[in-house]
């Protein structure tokens, strides 16, 4: 869905031809650089093939160090890493780089590039799709439309969830928790049939917020309300 939809928009609709789009799995084929590299004018391939275990291969770390350090050409990850070069039990990913959720994709930044919470949320908000999606019942399971709709709601959930994880990792950062709690409220309000984990994560966020969110009932009430909805939805 990710690869073909972008190709369609660029080649058929003429949208954003300046965006260079690479398929990670295609980069692992020996023919890719020889046949396709000429189409990517601003991208340098460090070796013949994306495979850190081959003599003529390169790692994603090397590829990003070669191509993703200039702020003038931001780099994004859509659909996850093809291969984690950091052990899974340590969080996965690529050494020397972090991913910051911004809409359907993640912005790739060097570890050394610090970003304020407000900058992150502002950038993510500007890149999050904002439209009125149809009901999930409109499309049967297994259709591309249903997959795309599920991906849309997953993208909307990613930012408040990431803010919650950020807050927990930073001694319950209250700014991140407040942002997360309010985003979960909005998400639950606009989703036609919120999944149970929306309620669970909202309850966790409210349980860690120390001061009441402006204009709302006490946090413990919001926490209990969301956990109750979570338990009820898991019983159905």
């Amino acid at each position: 869905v990710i690869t073909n939809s972008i190709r369609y928009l660029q080649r058929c609709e003429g949208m954003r031809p300046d965006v260079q789009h690479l398929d990670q799995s295609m980069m692992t084929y020996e023919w890719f650089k020889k046949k396709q590299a000429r189409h990517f004018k601003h991208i340098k391939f460090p070796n013949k093939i994306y495979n850190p275990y081959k003599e003529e291969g390169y790692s994603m770390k090397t590829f990003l160090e070669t191509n993703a350090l200039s702020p003038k050409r931001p780099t994004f990850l859509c659909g996850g890493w093809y291969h984690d070069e950091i052990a899974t039990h340590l969080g996965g990913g690529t050494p020397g780089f972090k991913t910051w959720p911004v809409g359907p994709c993640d912005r790739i930044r060097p570890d050394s590039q610090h970003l304020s919470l407000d900058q992150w949320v502002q950038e993510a908000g500007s890149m999050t799709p904002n439209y009125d999606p149809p009901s999930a019942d409109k499309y049967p399971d297994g259709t591309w439309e249903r997959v795309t709709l599920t991906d849309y709601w997953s993208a909307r959930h990613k930012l408040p969830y990431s803010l919650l994880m950020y807050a927990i990792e930073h001694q319950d950062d209250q700014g991140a928790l407040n942002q997360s709690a309010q985003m979960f409220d909005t998400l639950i309000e606009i989703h036609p049939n919120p999944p149970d984990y929306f309620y669970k994560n909202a309850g966790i966020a409210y349980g860690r917020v120390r001061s009441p969110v402006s204009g709302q009932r006490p946090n413990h009430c919001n926490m209990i309300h969301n956990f109750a909805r979570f338990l009820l939805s898991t019983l159905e």
Side-chain angles (χ1 to χ4, degrees), residues 27-99:
M27 294 164 62
T28 65
Y29 291 107
E30 294 183 357
W31 52 262
F32 179 80
K33 182 179 179 180
K34 183 178 180 180
K35 299 287 187 180
Q36 296 293 320
R38 66 182 184 274
H39 298 300
F40 301 96
K41 297 179 181 179
H42 301 289
I43 295 175
K44 296 180 181 178
F45 297 92
N47 212 331
K48 293 182 178 180
I49 185 173
Y50 169 36
N51 187 329
Y53 304 109
K54 287 190 173 184
E55 184 177 351
E56 69 276 19
Y58 56 87
S59 65
M60 182 54 64
K61 178 178 184 294
T62 303
F63 178 80
L64 292 176
E65 288 173 343
T66 306
N67 295 282
L69 297 180
S70 172
K72 294 181 179 180
R73 297 192 66 82
T75 306
F76 298 88
L77 173 71
C78 303
W81 296 109
Y82 180 80
H83 168 72
D84 283 317
E85 294 175 12
I86 298 175
T88 304
H89 71 278
L90 296 176
T94 299
F97 293 87
K98 289 182 180 178
T99 54

Side-chain angles (χ1 to χ4, degrees), residues 37-204:
R38 66 182 184 274
H39 298 300
F40 301 96
K41 297 179 181 179
H42 301 289
I43 295 175
K44 296 180 181 178
F45 297 92
N47 212 331
K48 293 182 178 180
I49 185 173
Y50 169 36
N51 187 329
Y53 304 109
K54 287 190 173 184
E55 184 177 351
E56 69 276 19
Y58 56 87
S59 65
M60 182 54 64
K61 178 178 184 294
T62 303
F63 178 80
L64 292 176
E65 288 173 343
T66 306
N67 295 282
L69 297 180
S70 172
K72 294 181 179 180
R73 297 192 66 82
T75 306
F76 298 88
L77 173 71
C78 303
W81 296 109
Y82 180 80
H83 168 72
D84 283 317
E85 294 175 12
I86 298 175
T88 304
H89 71 278
L90 296 176
T94 299
F97 293 87
K98 289 182 180 178
T99 54
W100 298 76
V102 285
C105 300
D106 296 341
R107 175 81 180 267
I108 302 173
R109 297 180 184 273
D111 282 342
S112 59
Q113 191 175 111
H114 300 291
L115 197 68
S116 73
L117 188 65
D118 288 340
Q119 286 176 315
W120 175 23
V121 172
Q122 183 178 8
E123 182 178 57
S126 68
M127 300 184 68
T128 300
N130 187 21
Y131 77 108
D132 186 18
S135 170
D137 297 337
K138 183 176 180 179
Y139 305 113
D141 285 333
T143 61
W144 285 117
E145 291 84 356
R146 184 65 172 268
V147 171
T148 302
L149 188 59
T150 301
D151 287 348
Y152 167 77
W153 287 116
S154 295
R156 292 296 301 263
H157 173 266
K158 188 189 294 185
L159 181 58
Y161 176 76
S162 297
L163 284 166
L164 175 59
M165 293 299 100
Y166 174 93
I168 293 172
E169 292 169 3
H170 293 80
Q171 292 76 49
D172 280 352
D173 181 286
Q174 292 300 295
L177 284 172
N178 274 283
Q179 294 263 21
S180 175
Q182 292 181 66
M183 287 182 185
F184 275 125
D185 281 347
T186 300
L187 188 59
I188 289 169
E189 182 180 352
I190 64 175
H191 197 294
N193 185 26
D196 53 45
Y197 62 89
F198 280 21
Y199 296 113
K200 180 185 72 173
N201 291 331
I204 294 171

